Amino acid sequence: YDLLNEIRCADLIEGFKSTGKQEFPAIVRKVEEEGSEYEYEVICGARRHWTASYLGWELLIEIRELSDEEAFRLADIENRDRVDISDYERAVDYKNALNAYYSNQKQMAERLEVSIDWLSRFLSLADLPDEIVKAYRDITEIKVRHYRDLAPALKRANTKKKVIEAAKELHGKNLDGKQVITALKAATEQPRPKAALLASYETS
């Protein structure tokens, strides 16, 4: 929710204004926690909630009775095809859900109706070291393929150390995702010996 802004909600802002109404209600459930300052929890419709608040409109809602696991699955169904939710955000959500609601990856994959391999790629991304995450200017630029590119190096102690050290050097440099992954991959590449370079030059 903290990542939402006028740019990420531009389509909804325009939609609300052009139709003069909120087309679809946000799905909420009552907060059962005693003493909570909120009466409802938004399960589906964080962007609708943000947009309504931004425009000063009342939020149209649909109240449902949902368990925590049901609420997670419902939110996942709505959000899975959204392009404004990053791979890393999904990965962290899946990791938290696995620990909270499921006994193993197989059970979770079955409940979400996805393949174990697909789910495993996201769960692995959630385990990306903090030093690497902080190398990106924005977590929305961290992709599943980035972990795949770094996985071989992260599985070996000597190369993992090089990647972590390289990531720390990128902190605060405001690099985009492509620049970060290029720099981290380069950190694990071994320079060719001078003799090999000479031989390659002489035979070319």
Side-chain angles (χ1 to χ4, degrees):
Y1 193 91
D2 292 338
L3 295 174
L4 296 180
N5 52 44
E6 292 178 56
I7 296 175
R8 298 187 84 177
C9 295
D11 59 329
L12 275 183
I13 294 173
E14 178 60 29
F16 276 38
K17 288 181 176 179
S18 63
T19 62
K21 61 181 180 179
Q22 177 187 334
E23 293 283 354
F24 303 101
I27 298 174
V28 305
R29 66 175 178 175
K30 288 189 68 69
V31 175
E32 302 296 339
E33 182 181 346
E34 194 168 328
S36 173
E37 59 180 309
Y38 302 106
E39 186 176 359
Y40 298 102
E41 174 188 9
V42 177
I43 303 303
C44 295
R47 293 171 74 245
R48 276 162 277 174
H49 179 280
W50 190 95
T51 300
S53 298
Y54 174 79
L55 294 174
W57 293 16
E58 287 191 1
L59 180 69
L60 178 64
I61 63 172
E62 176 185 335
I63 304 171
R64 295 190 188 180
E65 293 185 6
L66 300 164
S67 68
D68 289 346
E69 193 269 342
E70 288 172 334
F72 165 72
R73 283 193 292 113
L74 184 62
D76 178 59
I77 290 171
E78 175 169 286
N79 294 333
R80 198 175 297 171
D81 293 329
R82 276 176 49 189
V83 297
D84 64 321
I85 296 181
S86 71
D87 288 353
Y88 186 71
E89 290 173 279
R90 296 182 199 279
V92 173
D93 282 346
Y94 287 150
K95 189 74 173 183
N96 291 336
L98 174 64
N99 294 332
Y101 312 131
Y102 306 103
S103 57
N104 52 56
Q105 290 187 34
K106 183 176 183 295
Q107 181 195 34
M108 182 175 179
E110 289 174 349
R111 293 288 284 172
L112 297 182
E113 298 182 358
V114 298
S115 71
I116 294 179
D117 288 343
W118 185 91
L119 178 60
S120 180
R121 287 195 292 272
F122 279 93
L123 294 174
S124 296
L125 180 63
D127 290 330
L128 206 62
D130 287 342
E131 294 87 350
I132 296 178
V133 172
K134 292 176 181 177
Y136 291 79
R137 65 183 179 184
D138 190 328
I139 63 170
T140 61
E141 298 185 14
I142 305 176
K143 309 295 184 183
V144 164
R145 66 176 182 274
H146 291 179
Y147 181 84
R148 181 187 62 210
D149 291 342
L150 295 175
L154 293 176
K155 290 177 181 177
R156 300 191 299 273
N158 61 328
T159 50
K160 180 178 181 179
K161 182 179 179 180
K162 291 180 180 179
V163 172
I164 297 298
E165 290 175 349
K168 289 179 179 178
E169 293 178 2
L170 302 180
H171 291 181
K173 292 191 175 181
N174 199 37
L175 301 181
D176 63 29
K178 184 177 180 180
Q179 291 172 315
V180 170
I181 197 63
T182 297
L184 297 184
K185 288 171 64 177
T188 65
E189 295 177 356
Q190 297 294 330
R192 299 178 67 185
K194 290 184 178 180
L197 288 173
L198 179 60
S200 175
Y201 174 77
E202 292 175 343
T203 56
S204 62

